[in-house]
Amino acid sequence: MSEKEEGMSFLEHLEELRWHLIRAVLAVLVFAILAFVFYDVVFDDIILAPKNADFFTNRMFAQFADLIGVESLKINTQPFQLININMAGQFATHITVSLVIGLIVGFPYLFFEFWRFVRPALYSNEKKHARGSIFYTSFLFALGVLFGYYLITPLSVHFLGSYNVSSQVLNQINLSSYISTVTSIVLASGVIFELPILIFFLSKIGLISPEFLKKYRKHAVVLMLVLSAIITPPDIFSQVLVCLPLLILYEVGISISKRVQKQQAKEFE
């Protein structure tokens, strides 16, 4: 910690935090405004794309289904029409989606501002071990967002959009319901993929260890299955697809925890 930081009062720290938050919010707003302006690309080519047959994932499933001769694996072959039933529904959706896009695209800068605020309080060895945290945190978040968008979203849209309890009941899906489903899945996937980062920090402060993670691996698997069931449609295939990367991330987290433990042991020698 620098002498300047040590001499700062509580109110001065709050003032410093305020400016970091202001810059982070401004960055999100800039990206949100860009998304608002280019709404045709955001909606037609990104948000609404997973429900169309020509979407990348839907085409891959169709090709795989033709290859093995199982037609039931084809998804979103008959895209449904969305409806809006509120006077300000489309405008409100436009603003919501723009803010979500701003948050996702601006996430690296958000974390950068958080890191700039926290970094002066760290010791030199802690700064050394945390080097690259901005890159890895942003990379895992982006990986989770892409995973949610390209895999979970089209599967969920297909299952929920085509599901019916009777031929007498017609699905007329509201725009806000569709947007809520897509954005919640994508954001949840981005957050869940931060699991190795969470394990790293919990290991640093001594709350967990590699032995702890190995001991409760079975419990973790159950928790991952529950999380998969929450963010995916209620079918086994989708849940397994989501659970597999979570299991891989958990095993990566165990390796990270081991590395942290070794580094801390060297420091105490």
Side-chain angles (χ1 to χ4, degrees):
M1 185 183 295
S2 66
E3 294 181 4
K4 179 183 176 182
E5 288 290 324
E6 289 178 349
M8 290 176 66
S9 67
F10 177 71
L11 290 178
E12 287 174 329
H13 278 291
L14 284 180
E15 179 67 14
E16 187 73 15
L17 175 61
R18 185 173 76 91
W19 282 108
H20 285 294
L21 290 175
I22 288 173
R23 286 192 291 268
V25 170
L26 285 175
V28 171
L29 287 177
V30 167
F31 288 117
I33 291 170
L34 288 174
F36 190 88
V37 172
F38 296 100
Y39 65 92
D40 49 346
V41 175
V42 169
F43 279 91
D44 295 340
D45 298 336
I46 300 176
I47 301 296
L48 302 178
K51 73 181 185 66
N52 299 324
D54 60 351
F55 184 65
F56 174 78
T57 306
N58 300 333
R59 287 189 285 109
M60 293 302 102
F61 269 89
Q63 291 178 15
F64 182 67
D66 291 335
L67 183 65
I68 63 175
V70 181
E71 289 293 312
S72 59
L73 286 179
K74 293 183 178 182
I75 60 174
N76 297 309
T77 54
Q78 297 178 345
F80 49 82
Q81 192 74 25
L82 296 174
I83 63 171
N84 174 57
I85 58 175
N86 298 316
M87 179 69 73
Q90 295 201 44
F91 179 69
T93 299
H94 191 178
I95 293 176
T96 301
V97 169
S98 299
L99 289 173
V100 171
I101 296 292
L103 180 63
I104 291 173
V105 178
F107 178 81
Y109 187 78
L110 276 173
F111 189 77
F112 172 69
E113 286 294 340
F114 169 77
W115 174 246
R116 285 183 62 192
F117 177 72
V118 173
R119 189 174 184 273
L122 302 178
Y123 294 104
S124 57
N125 61 326
E126 291 175 330
K127 293 176 183 177
K128 178 182 176 183
H129 295 324
R131 188 178 300 164
S133 58
I134 296 173
F135 170 78
Y136 291 115
T137 302
S138 302
F139 174 76
L140 286 172
F141 181 77
L143 193 64
V145 166
L146 291 174
F147 178 79
Y149 176 71
Y150 279 103
L151 188 60
I152 306 177
T153 295
L155 287 171
S156 299
V157 167
H158 171 73
F159 181 85
L160 298 174
S162 60
Y163 189 86
N164 57 45
V165 294
S166 170
S167 58
Q168 300 180 54
V169 181
L170 178 65
N171 278 338
Q172 290 186 314
I173 300 170
N174 191 16
L175 174 64
S176 61
S177 175
Y178 174 87
I179 296 298
S180 176
T181 300
V182 173
T183 54
S184 60
I185 287 173
V186 168
L187 288 175
S189 300
V191 172
I192 288 173
F193 267 60
E194 297 292 346
L195 179 61
I197 303 297
L198 177 63
I199 291 176
F200 171 79
F201 283 108
L202 292 178
S203 299
K204 287 290 290 183
I205 61 178
L207 286 180
I208 60 174
S209 64
E211 294 74 22
F212 175 87
L213 293 172
K214 290 177 182 178
K215 180 181 178 180
Y216 291 99
R217 183 186 273 119
K218 292 181 180 179
H219 299 79
V221 171
V222 174
L223 181 59
M224 290 175 195
L225 287 170
V226 171
L227 284 173
S228 301
I230 291 173
I231 65 174
T232 60
D235 67 276
I236 299 299
F237 180 67
S238 300
Q239 291 174 17
V240 170
L241 283 177
V242 174
C243 196
L244 283 176
L246 291 180
L247 290 172
I248 294 172
L249 290 171
Y250 188 82
E251 294 301 321
V252 170
I254 293 177
S255 299
I256 291 172
S257 187
K258 284 181 181 178
R259 185 177 177 183
V260 170
Q261 194 176 64
K262 288 179 181 179
Q263 289 174 342
Q264 291 176 335
K266 288 180 180 179
E267 291 172 3
F268 284 107
E269 287 180 357

